[in-house]
Amino acid sequence: MTFRYLALGVAAVMCLVARTSHAQQSYGPITGGVLAVPTPVISPTNGVPLSDGAVLHAGVSVEGGYDSNLFYNDDEKVGSALLRVNPFLDLTNASRTGEAPNGLFFDLRAGASYREYLNSDASIRRLRAIQPTASVNLEHNSGGTLVVGVADTYARLQDAPYTRLGANDDLIVRDNNLASAQLRWSPGGGRLQSTLRLTNTVDWFETAALKAGNSMTNEAMLDVSWRWLPKTALYVQVRQGYVKYLNTQDDSSGLVPSSLGKKQDSYPLRAMVGIRGLITEKTSVALSVGYQNAFYIGGKSTTGFFGSTLAAAELIVMPLQTTKLTFGLHHDFQNSVVGNFFYDDGAYASVSHQLVSRLIAQAWGAYDHRRYYGLPAGMDPRVDDMIQATALLDFYIRAWAYVGASYSLIRNRSDYLPDQGYSGTNYTKQLVFGHVGLTY
Amino acid sequence: MTNQAREYQQGMNQVLTRIHTLEETARRQKDIIKLNCVMDKEVQAKVNVGIAEQALTALQENVARADEGGRTHEFTRLTIINQKVVVLGAEAENCIGEDLSFVGATRVDLDIDPNIPRDDPTQPGVPTTPIDRPPAASTYM
C-alpha cells in the first residue's frame, strides 16, 4: 500500500513532466515508508542516440541529509547524517516527445543506490548499503488494436534491523521481483477494451528471522471496459491470485500463531465494477466497489460485510495546466508478511505545482488505519495507524542539472507494545535531504 | 517532426505504388498515349522520392545533433517534395482518366483540445508491489 501512495505522488507530477523539458526526479520503491532508491525521471529531450530510435540516458544524484530515527524506535531514538549516491542508466526507443513509438517499444533501466552513514558508531555504520534495481519493459503495439507487453522489475532493499544491538540485529535484506505479461485488445474504434494480465511476484528475505515469509504470488487479471466517452470508461475487473509461501519448513514462530506452525497460502479474489476517466476537462475520477475474499487455507481470513467489500475513490483536479491536486480514499485488504493479512482503510492527498519554468514543488501525504489478523497469540488483532508525508522542491539549473531539497515523515502508532528496545511499533521518523543531480 | 516526416515518406511510397498500378492498367489497355503520360509522372515521382529519402536522413541527423535550424529546413524540403508527389499522383490519375473515381485512402484528422490530458485515464493501473517494512510482531523479531 505504501508503494501505491508513492506512485500517487509520482503520478501527480507526471503531467508536469510532459510539459517541461527539464529532467525530473521521482522516488520508489520504499521500505518502511523510507525513500530507499531515488530514481530520477528522465527528460526525453536529453540522451545519447545510439541508433535510429534508441537513446541512452544516464545520470547520477548525490544526496546529503539526516535521518532522525534509524531504527524505527521512539524508545531509543538514534539519528545520523547520511550520504546517498544514486547512478542509473536507461536505454529506450521512446520518441523525443516521450511518446512510445508504433510497433516495438522498449525501456531497459538499471540503477543503484549507495548509502553511507556519516557516524563513528559501528552499529550505525553497518547500515550502509548498496541497493541495486533493474527493470525491463517491452511492448508491441499493432495500430492500437492489439498491444502485447511484458515487464520485469527487480529491487534489492536493505533496511535497519529490529534491534540496534543484541538479538535480532540482522539487517532486513529483501529481494523483490515483479514480472508481468499483458494483452490488451481494442477492436473497432476502441470503445470496448479488454486487458488480460498475468503477474508473478517473488518476495524473498535474506534475513533469517523472516525467511518463513518468503513468498511467490501469481495473479490473473481480466479487465473489460466500455468507453462511453473518449476518455471515460465503465469497467468490470476480476483478479484471482495465489499466494504461496516458499519456506514452510523455516521457523515462523514470530510471524503466525504457534497452532498454525507455518505461513498460510491463500487464493485472494477481487471483483469490482467502477468508472475511471475524465468527467470534465480538468477533473477525473476513479471510483470502484466490489467483492473481496482472501481465502486463506488456514487461520484467519477476511469475513463479514465490510471485510468482503472493497472500495476506492479518487478525485484528480487540474485547476491550472501546471497544477495537479489528488484526493483519495480506499478500503481493502493486503497479504502480510506478519500474520495473515491486514485490512487497510486509508486516505491520501497530493499536490504538485510548477512555480516557474524551472522550479517544481510537490507534496503528498497518506493516512492508513491497518488491522492485522492471524498474528501470534496475544497480539491478534493488532491495529496500527500510520501517517506518511513527503515534500520536494527541485530547481533545474539546466535541462540536465538540478538541485533540490526534500523532507519526509513517517509516523506509526500501534496498540501492540512489546518490551522496550524493539522497533516497528510506535515511532516517528523524519528525513531531510539536500540533493544535486545530473541527468542526460 | 520525425514521425510526420515518416508519414510523408509512407504516403509518397503509396503514391508511387498507385502510379505503378496505373502504368499496368495502361499497358493492359495497350494505350500508348496513356502509358507515356503515366510513365512520365512515375519518373518524376521516383526522383522526388529519392530526394525525400536524402532529406529524411538529413533530418534525422539534424535531430540527433539538436540542430534546430537544419531540422526545420529539412522538414520544409520534405513537405514541399511531398506536395509535389501528391500532385504527380493526381496527374497520373488524370492520365488514365480515373481521377474522379479514385479519391485515395480515407484520412481522418483528429484535433484534441490541448487542455485535455494526453494520457489515457481509462486504462487499468500498472501492477505494483507493496514493499512495506514488516512490522515487529513479537519479541521474537
Side-chain angles (χ1 to χ4, degrees):
Chain A
M1 294 310 301
T2 309
F3 186 83
R4 180 169 64 190
Y5 297 139
L6 183 67
L8 167 74
V10 173
V13 297
M14 290 313 290
C15 66
L16 301 177
V17 173
R19 290 182 173 84
T20 179
S21 61
H22 306 308
Q24 287 211 25
Q25 188 162 0
S26 67
Y27 294 87
I30 59 176
T31 175
V34 179
L35 303 170
V37 187
T39 52
V41 171
I42 303 156
S43 171
T45 56
N46 290 335
V48 180
L50 295 184
S51 66
D52 187 20
V55 179
L56 179 68
H57 300 276
V60 63
S61 66
V62 179
E63 302 178 287
Y66 187 80
D67 184 338
S68 70
N69 194 347
L70 293 170
F71 296 93
Y72 303 86
N73 190 348
D74 278 357
D75 293 328
E76 188 189 0
K77 273 192 176 179
V78 179
S80 174
L82 71 155
L83 189 70
R84 294 196 299 209
V85 181
N86 316 293
F88 77 91
L89 286 172
D90 185 283
L91 180 64
T92 182
N93 70 337
S95 72
R96 292 287 184 176
T97 60
E99 293 175 353
N102 282 327
L104 183 66
F105 162 71
F106 63 84
D107 187 3
L108 316 175
R109 187 174 182 127
S113 176
Y114 173 68
R115 183 177 67 205
E116 182 65 59
Y117 290 86
L118 308 176
N119 199 295
S120 58
D121 188 332
S123 69
I124 293 174
R125 282 204 314 274
R126 74 190 183 95
L127 300 180
R128 75 167 62 89
I130 297 176
Q131 303 184 106
T133 58
S135 66
V136 177
N137 190 2
L138 300 172
E139 189 173 283
H140 187 272
N141 188 335
S142 303
T145 303
L146 193 66
V147 180
V148 182
V150 293
D152 190 275
T153 303
Y154 166 79
R156 184 175 189 268
L157 302 169
Q158 292 189 48
D159 202 3
Y162 288 105
T163 58
R164 182 182 175 190
L165 299 167
N168 300 317
D169 65 347
D170 292 338
L171 292 176
I172 299 175
V173 184
R174 185 177 197 172
D175 298 87
N176 188 277
N177 191 78
L178 170 66
S180 65
Q182 176 172 296
L183 177 68
R184 191 170 75 230
W185 186 47
S186 309
R191 189 157 270 226
L192 276 176
Q193 184 169 273
S194 304
T195 303
L196 176 64
R197 179 190 295 156
L198 305 174
T199 57
N200 172 277
T201 307
V202 175
D203 196 15
W204 187 270
F205 289 97
E206 298 176 27
T207 307
L210 291 167
K211 275 191 175 296
N214 290 352
S215 67
M216 177 186 287
T217 301
N218 288 290
E219 185 182 73
M221 182 203 80
L222 178 63
D223 183 286
V224 180
S225 61
W226 173 52
R227 283 202 281 199
W228 52 288
L229 290 172
K231 294 215 169 187
T232 312
L234 299 172
Y235 70 96
V236 177
Q237 187 180 103
V238 179
R239 289 156 56 195
Q240 176 64 65
Y242 172 43
V243 182
K244 179 173 178 53
Y245 284 94
L246 304 172
N247 294 343
T248 54
Q249 302 305 314
D250 279 79
D251 183 1
S252 58
S253 57
L255 304 177
V256 294
S258 55
S259 58
L260 289 176
K262 63 179 183 180
K263 291 286 290 175
Q264 301 296 303
D265 296 348
S266 63
Y267 300 85
L269 170 68
R270 295 173 175 89
M272 68 194 86
V273 295
I275 179 175
R276 57 188 175 222
L278 299 179
I279 55 172
T280 72
E281 283 181 5
K282 296 182 176 180
T283 307
S284 67
V285 296
L287 304 172
S288 64
V289 64
Y291 170 77
Q292 63 179 7
N293 198 323
F295 288 120
Y296 281 90
I297 61 171
K300 294 193 175 176
S301 190
T302 53
T303 183
F305 176 75
F306 285 108
S308 303
T309 302
L310 68 85
E314 185 176 84
L315 174 69
I316 299 174
V317 183
M318 297 181 66
L320 302 170
Q321 281 200 349
T322 55
T323 304
K324 189 171 185 177
L325 305 169
T326 305
F327 309 94
L329 299 167
H330 66 90
H331 164 76
D332 49 26
F333 82 91
Q334 297 293 329
N335 188 60
S336 176
V337 174
V338 174
N340 272 2
F341 71 97
F342 60 86
Y343 289 118
D344 192 0
D345 300 298
Y348 55 90
S350 74
V351 57
S352 61
H353 183 61
Q354 187 175 340
L355 299 174
V356 290
S357 62
R358 291 185 171 185
L359 191 61
I360 295 171
Q362 313 163 42
W364 64 271
Y367 164 73
D368 272 313
H369 178 71
R370 295 178 173 180
R371 289 168 290 151
Y372 290 83
Y373 290 89
L375 291 161
M379 67 192 74
D380 191 30
R382 162 181 168 166
V383 180
D384 281 23
D385 290 293
M386 180 182 281
I387 294 172
Q388 298 173 81
T390 292
L392 295 166
L393 191 66
D394 284 331
F395 177 70
Y396 290 87
I397 306 164
R398 294 282 186 274
W400 42 267
Y402 61 91
V403 298
S406 67
Y407 168 78
S408 297
L409 165 74
I410 177 168
R411 180 181 187 272
N412 193 70
R413 289 293 176 266
S414 175
D415 65 352
Y416 170 59
L417 298 172
D419 296 338
Q420 290 187 351
Y422 287 86
S423 67
T425 52
N426 287 350
Y427 60 87
T428 301
K429 187 180 181 76
Q430 300 178 78
L431 295 102
V432 180
F433 281 101
H435 54 255
V436 295
L438 302 173
T439 64
Y440 191 76
Chain B
M1 193 177 275
T2 308
N3 288 341
Q4 183 65 53
R6 288 203 176 100
E7 282 181 22
Y8 284 159
Q9 191 184 32
Q10 286 176 0
M12 285 186 278
N13 287 331
Q14 286 172 2
V15 170
L16 259 185
T17 305
R18 174 65 184 166
I19 294 175
H20 187 68
T21 306
L22 294 172
E23 182 190 338
E24 293 300 316
T25 303
R27 281 186 199 281
R28 278 198 303 274
Q29 292 177 354
K30 297 182 178 175
D31 187 329
I32 190 66
I33 296 174
K34 285 183 180 179
L35 183 60
N36 280 340
C37 178
V38 171
M39 287 181 70
D40 176 46
K41 306 304 175 192
E42 186 180 20
V43 169
Q44 291 182 55
K46 277 183 178 172
V47 170
N48 278 291
V49 169
I51 296 169
E53 285 174 357
Q54 293 171 9
L56 180 61
T57 304
L59 171 66
Q60 289 168 336
E61 288 172 358
N62 286 322
V63 168
R65 284 202 305 266
D67 182 348
E68 184 69 28
R71 184 170 61 177
T72 306
H73 172 71
E74 296 301 337
F75 185 73
T76 306
R77 279 182 72 201
L78 264 170
T79 305
I80 294 168
I81 294 165
N82 177 59
Q83 288 169 348
K84 280 186 177 177
V85 172
V86 170
V87 169
L88 286 167
E91 289 174 353
E93 299 288 348
N94 284 331
C95 293
I96 301 295
E98 290 188 0
D99 186 38
L100 294 177
S101 61
F102 181 76
V103 295
T106 302
R107 175 175 167 170
V108 178
D109 289 327
L110 184 65
D111 291 324
I112 298 175
D113 186 336
N115 289 321
I116 294 177
R118 293 166 64 190
D119 59 337
D120 185 359
T122 65
Q123 299 293 330
V126 295
T128 57
T129 307
I131 304 178
D132 287 334
R133 175 186 170 89
S138 71
T139 52
Y140 169 82
M141 51 167 284

